[in-house]
Amino acid sequence: MHLNAALGSWLVRRAIILMGVFAMFLPMPHAAEPKDAKEKGKPNRLLKESSPYLLQHAYNPVDWFAWGPEAFEKAKKEKKIIFLSIGYSSCHWCHVMEKESFDNKDVADFMNKNFVCIKVDREERPDIDDIYMNALHAMGARGGWPMSMFLTPDGKPIVGGTYWPREDRVIEGQTVNGFKTILGKILEVWKEKPKEVEAQAAEYAEQTNESMSRLVRVNPIVVLDRSLAKGAAEAMSEQIDPTHGGIGRRENKF
């Protein structure tokens, strides 16, 4: 697999996206076992959250942020790429990736040093999940959970996939990069070609907006906060019949 050569011509995104496809053919690992209270260690920010899924990750050594301005302000200030992980509490592969990577101190240390890491519960924030699932499709990748996405400091999608095993694996005679290698490649290309990364991310953001605008009116993907879902809510409210309930036959303004 010629991933190193691909870095120079910005084909790295395609090689990484393939990880989401190869992951479907990997043998099913055992689900993560619950941690004993004595083994939990120091909690991260997610301990303050109410989501069951986020609380499951509250004792990861990864310095997780919940979705919010604090994470994006830090990313912009430190000029770091954001690693976004979206899942839900009953997702098997979410727990597998947690056990393999997010609970691994070496992986967590690398993530904490070089990225701003955000964890999202798709059942709590389906609006965010919908946006980045559309971005993943714009990249030509199949969706699934956990959704793993790298973002620019202002939230534009760079490249993404689903479950990535921690270590490299040989599948059908090809070496497929694991999560540790992917983290290193993404960091490398961000340091060497930041303008190209930003330009590609802007294209994906535009494609995502165009895709979503076919269904509902949405704000630009650049503005990544709760206003992203406002367009959908407003569009739906305009069609609600306040007298008889349900969706009325008002003029379609999409």
Side-chain angles (χ1 to χ4, degrees):
M1 191 172 185
H2 52 282
L3 187 55
N4 289 332
L7 276 169
S9 61
W10 188 235
L11 292 177
V12 63
R13 63 187 187 278
R14 295 299 177 192
I16 295 175
I17 287 170
L18 285 175
M19 284 298 301
V21 178
F22 282 122
M24 296 188 298
F25 300 100
L26 295 173
M28 181 77 73
H30 296 292
E33 295 294 333
K35 288 184 176 181
D36 184 88
K38 294 181 180 179
E39 299 176 353
K40 285 185 175 180
K42 183 180 178 181
N44 56 48
R45 294 176 185 82
L46 299 186
L47 190 63
K48 300 178 181 179
E49 299 299 316
S50 59
S51 158
Y53 176 65
L54 298 188
L55 289 172
Q56 288 173 354
H57 293 266
Y59 287 91
N60 293 160
V62 176
D63 189 18
W64 291 115
F65 285 81
W67 183 273
E70 183 182 5
F72 290 95
E73 288 169 4
K74 178 179 174 65
K76 291 177 183 177
K77 181 179 179 180
E78 299 180 8
K79 298 181 180 179
K80 289 182 177 178
I81 282 182
I82 292 169
F83 172 69
L84 173 65
S85 177
I86 302 177
Y88 55 99
S89 59
S90 61
C91 168
H92 172 80
W93 288 101
C94 297
H95 297 307
V96 172
M97 192 164 181
E98 176 190 20
K99 183 178 181 180
E100 291 182 346
S101 295
F102 305 149
D103 263 346
N104 181 280
K105 187 179 184 303
D106 291 339
V107 176
D109 287 346
F110 189 85
M111 293 172 70
N112 295 340
K113 179 180 178 181
N114 298 294
F115 300 86
V116 174
C117 304
I118 299 177
K119 176 65 73 171
V120 168
D121 181 349
R122 69 177 294 261
E123 295 177 331
E124 182 180 60
R125 295 302 304 270
D127 53 332
I128 298 171
D129 180 64
D130 190 36
I131 289 167
Y132 289 106
M133 186 61 74
N134 273 276
L136 197 59
H137 293 160
M139 297 172 185
R142 295 178 62 181
W145 295 276
M147 188 196 307
S148 304
M149 183 75 70
F150 292 95
L151 315 174
T152 61
D154 58 355
K156 299 188 190 77
I158 299 172
V159 70
T162 54
Y163 159 78
W164 288 320
R166 184 179 68 214
E167 306 293 343
D168 296 354
R169 298 187 181 183
V170 176
I171 300 176
E172 297 182 354
Q174 290 187 317
T175 299
V176 180
N177 290 327
F179 186 54
K180 287 169 59 178
T181 299
I182 291 170
L183 288 170
K185 297 293 186 182
I186 290 293
L187 181 62
E188 181 181 352
V189 77
W190 175 247
K191 289 182 176 180
E192 293 182 357
K193 299 177 180 293
K195 291 183 179 179
E196 292 183 26
V197 173
E198 291 276 7
Q200 181 65 63
E203 287 185 25
Y204 283 146
E206 182 60 31
Q207 291 172 24
T208 302
N209 280 326
E210 290 176 0
S211 174
M212 296 185 71
S213 67
R214 298 188 189 105
L215 302 175
V216 293
R217 294 176 301 176
V218 294
N219 293 325
I221 198 170
V222 178
V223 184
L224 289 170
D225 52 33
R226 289 185 180 273
S227 65
L228 282 167
K230 188 176 180 182
E234 289 179 348
M236 185 65 72
S237 65
E238 291 176 358
Q239 299 185 63
I240 293 176
D241 187 331
T243 303
H244 303 289
I247 304 298
R249 294 186 177 180
R250 300 188 180 188
E251 181 182 358
N252 188 340
K253 297 181 180 181
F254 294 118

